[in-house]
Amino acid sequence: MPQRALSLVANLVTTTTSFSMEKIIYLMKPAAGIGNDQFRDLALSALAKQLLADTNVHGLRMAFNDSDVARAEGLKRGGCPPLPDAACSVWVDTANEQQALIDTIEPHTSHLEAYLVCESEVMAPPNRNGERTPGTLQLCMLRHPDTIEREEFLALWRDSHSQIACDTQSTFGYRQNLIVRKMNSNAQDHDAIVEEHFPADAMDSPAAFYDAVGDDAKLKKNVKTMIDSVSRFIDNNTINVVHMSEYELSP
């Protein structure tokens, strides 16, 4: 095989290998006596440094229910408490080695849930490494109703609802995380975790949330379209919703 062809094959193998990773989402509540802003500052410094020092970790993203998203308090929903006050997404070579990450994170928390997920980034938000992502991150933990099977849930959610969500809301970032496996005993029986980025005004303005500022008819139409769509595949009684500030630390 010519040298140039060998080089191309080597580059292809290297590129392919670099993307052979798994994603774990950790949902957290701070240790007793630690406020959410204080936990954010601690996590973005000491905890992030500890996690990135792990040779199994290749990507890190954190989010916090901090004072920057206080305006979104009215959007919280707690069908399956406790609601998390922080979330940490970690990309690793193998989730089989994740106990070391649990051991790193757990001392900083009073409650910790861990999930191995399969991520689909339907719409990528702006990547500002080391900085806060603009707006607000809506984190939803959901389950499908007992009346439908998993395959129907996936078809409705992934194949049908994805475009509806983008068309009826002001989202500028949208990730769907299908839960593959619960990774610790505190993890709940959620089927998926959704990450949606909204502009700041969406925290307390339904018109801004549904991309219908100044248009009452469009607002009513978009709200109805969304409610009709999600009612097909989400158990409304068990959904958890919380808004957070997101920080991309190592893409």
Side-chain angles (χ1 to χ4, degrees):
M1 183 179 293
Q3 184 61 40
R4 184 172 182 276
L6 283 170
S7 178
L8 288 171
V9 170
N11 288 338
L12 177 61
V13 171
T14 301
T15 302
T16 303
T17 303
S18 67
F19 284 95
S20 298
M21 291 185 284
E22 294 185 300
K23 179 182 178 181
I24 307 170
I25 295 180
Y26 297 97
L27 304 179
M28 304 171 279
K29 295 191 78 68
I34 304 296
N36 287 357
D37 283 8
Q38 184 181 359
F39 181 71
R40 174 200 62 204
D41 296 342
L42 170 69
L44 289 175
S45 55
L47 181 55
K49 185 176 180 179
Q50 287 177 278
L51 292 171
L52 290 171
D54 190 314
T55 56
N56 189 37
V57 173
H58 299 285
L60 179 63
R61 182 187 297 134
M62 289 181 166
F64 309 93
N65 176 24
D66 60 8
S67 58
D68 290 328
V69 293
R71 291 166 57 188
E73 185 69 19
L75 297 177
K76 279 185 177 180
R77 295 184 62 182
C80 294
L83 275 177
D85 288 314
C88 178
S89 294
V90 182
W91 284 261
V92 295
D93 288 320
T94 171
N96 298 344
E97 307 296 331
Q98 73 99 33
Q99 186 57 47
L101 302 178
I102 289 277
D103 292 343
T104 298
I105 298 171
E106 204 159 33
H108 300 283
T109 68
S110 59
H111 182 79
L112 179 65
E113 303 172 23
Y115 303 90
L116 176 64
V117 303
C118 176
E119 179 193 61
S120 174
E121 191 167 60
V122 178
M123 185 187 302
N127 184 347
R128 297 187 175 183
N129 193 26
E131 299 180 13
R132 185 185 184 280
T133 304
T136 176
L137 173 70
Q138 179 172 269
L139 195 70
C140 302
M141 289 67 71
L142 58 91
R143 304 177 186 180
H144 67 73
D146 293 335
T147 53
I148 64 174
E149 299 296 327
R150 184 175 173 87
E151 286 306 311
E152 184 179 358
F153 160 70
L154 290 173
L156 290 170
W157 176 41
R158 301 285 291 267
D159 303 334
S160 172
H161 177 74
S162 298
Q163 190 60 51
I164 292 172
C166 295
D167 290 343
T168 59
Q169 301 177 129
S170 59
T171 44
F172 61 88
Y174 183 23
R175 305 184 196 100
Q176 298 172 325
N177 300 285
L178 176 65
I179 293 176
V180 177
R181 178 186 175 191
K182 298 187 292 185
M183 299 298 286
N184 72 340
S185 59
N186 283 334
Q188 302 193 58
D189 293 326
H190 302 306
D191 292 307
I193 299 173
V194 177
E195 302 168 87
E196 293 175 289
H197 290 271
F198 287 87
D201 285 346
M203 288 190 268
D204 51 14
S205 167
F209 190 99
Y210 286 102
D211 194 26
V213 174
D215 190 336
D216 290 343
K218 182 180 180 182
L219 173 60
K220 292 177 182 178
K221 178 178 179 292
N222 284 357
V223 170
K224 184 180 186 305
T225 301
M226 272 295 294
I227 291 175
D228 289 347
S229 182
V230 299
S231 64
R232 298 176 299 162
F233 67 93
I234 293 179
D235 182 350
N236 195 49
N237 295 317
T238 60
I239 191 169
N240 284 350
V241 180
V242 61
H243 278 247
M244 296 187 177
S245 296
E246 182 192 82
Y247 291 82
E248 184 92 37
L249 300 176
S250 178

